[in-house]
Amino acid sequence: MVSHLVNTIRNVVGITGNVISLFLFLSPVPTFIRIWKKGSVEQFSPDPYLATLINCMVWVIYGLPMVHPNSTLVVTINGTGTAIEVAYLTLFVIFCHEKRNRRKVLLVMLVEIIFIALVTAMVLTLIHTTQRRSMVVGIIAILFNIMMYASPLSVMKLVISTKSVEYMPFFLSLAAFGNGVAWTTYAFLPFDPFIAVPNGLGTLFSLAQLVLYATYYKSTKRIIAARKEAKIEMNLSEVVANGNGDPKLKTGIAP
């Protein structure tokens, strides 16, 4: 009876985790709409999306029935996440104007795919019990999950140095926090250290990002407003300069 209740709660929390994770994966959509409209990736970094891609692929392996039975919810959301991250990175490559950065993204994606293929082949052929397979893939998953949550650290450093959260999307940080809380809860029904450890740490990383956002939100608005004002003044200066330099305007001679 208790076991059935725990399993039911686990499924409910897992479905909730799937929904929140989907929101996490979709939260950068406004960022990529901005990139699409401007035709440039500007200062946005591909690192969080590369880290999320390898993380999702590893968790797909972990959730396979021949690796960790009864983990369908892990496979469904991470399979979806893999497809979404590939779409984001494709857009990043298209709108990145620096060849060096484009090559870097494509090279990292290729290395990640090769790595996943090797891990899958080795785990399924060299290890013959689901318990050992779960342990090996779980340890790898912990490392990459922590990397995914820690990948915005470079962006956090930029936020602190510029006192602006313009390039740290709020909804991405909020979704990451909700995702960490949901999957940490899921990991205790019953206890799964390979899910609990990285998601517990991820919750802390995401909380730190939200604290930074609250700290620098007002200064960001001031910086953006000042930039717009400077741009308007520059445009007015150009208009005045062009007007003064036009002999027809000086003499008032009609064309």
Side-chain angles (χ1 to χ4, degrees):
M1 179 69 179
V2 175
S3 177
H4 177 71
L5 179 61
V6 170
N7 191 54
T8 301
I9 295 173
R10 184 175 187 265
N11 287 334
V12 171
V13 173
I15 293 170
T16 303
N18 268 244
V19 173
I20 297 175
S21 294
L22 182 60
F23 179 68
L24 171 63
F25 293 139
L26 294 176
S27 59
V29 167
T31 297
F32 281 90
I33 290 175
R34 170 176 171 170
I35 289 173
W36 180 287
K37 288 181 177 179
K38 293 200 171 186
S40 171
V41 297
E42 300 179 289
Q43 295 186 52
F44 289 107
S45 170
D47 294 347
Y49 310 107
L50 290 167
T52 304
L53 176 62
I54 185 70
N55 176 70
C56 286
M57 290 192 291
V58 171
W59 281 109
V60 167
I61 300 173
Y62 181 83
L64 293 175
M66 64 284 292
V67 176
H68 194 78
N70 304 316
S71 298
T72 304
L73 292 173
V74 175
V75 176
T76 53
I77 189 57
N78 284 287
T80 303
T82 298
I84 292 172
E85 297 308 316
V86 168
Y88 289 154
L89 289 166
T90 300
L91 286 173
F92 197 95
V93 169
I94 292 172
F95 292 107
C96 180
H97 301 311
E98 295 183 18
K99 290 184 179 179
R100 179 182 172 186
N101 287 341
R102 279 204 303 267
R103 284 198 298 266
K104 172 190 169 184
V105 171
L106 290 171
L107 180 61
V108 172
M109 288 179 70
L110 178 61
V111 170
E112 289 182 352
I113 292 170
I114 293 172
F115 174 79
I116 289 297
L118 289 174
V119 168
T120 304
M122 292 177 67
V123 166
L124 295 181
T125 57
L126 301 180
I127 305 174
H128 304 294
T129 65
T130 56
Q131 185 176 5
R132 289 190 175 184
R133 287 172 178 172
S134 295
M135 183 181 69
V136 171
V137 180
I139 291 172
I140 297 172
I142 284 178
L143 296 176
F144 284 112
N145 214 26
I146 292 174
M147 187 195 315
M148 181 191 78
Y149 281 119
S151 60
L153 287 176
S154 59
V155 180
M156 293 169 70
K157 181 181 177 182
L158 178 66
V159 168
I160 294 171
S161 62
T162 61
K163 293 181 171 50
S164 171
V165 294
E166 185 177 3
Y167 294 101
M168 187 177 72
F170 170 74
F171 290 109
L172 182 59
S173 301
L174 181 62
F177 177 73
N179 183 68
V181 171
W183 286 107
T184 300
T185 305
Y186 177 87
F188 282 89
L189 300 165
F191 182 64
D192 186 334
F194 301 119
I195 295 178
V197 172
N199 284 287
L201 291 174
T203 302
L204 296 178
F205 279 127
S206 304
L207 181 61
Q209 292 171 41
L210 292 174
V211 170
L212 277 180
Y213 199 92
T215 303
Y216 293 113
Y217 175 71
K218 290 184 178 179
S219 62
T220 302
K221 293 184 74 173
R222 289 195 297 268
I223 290 170
I224 293 175
R227 187 190 306 154
K228 288 181 178 178
E229 186 177 341
K231 187 175 180 180
I232 291 172
E233 289 178 358
M234 185 181 297
N235 290 338
L236 287 174
S237 298
E238 289 177 358
V239 169
V240 172
N242 291 335
N244 290 339
D246 189 339
K248 294 178 182 179
L249 291 175
K250 285 183 181 179
T251 59
I253 298 174

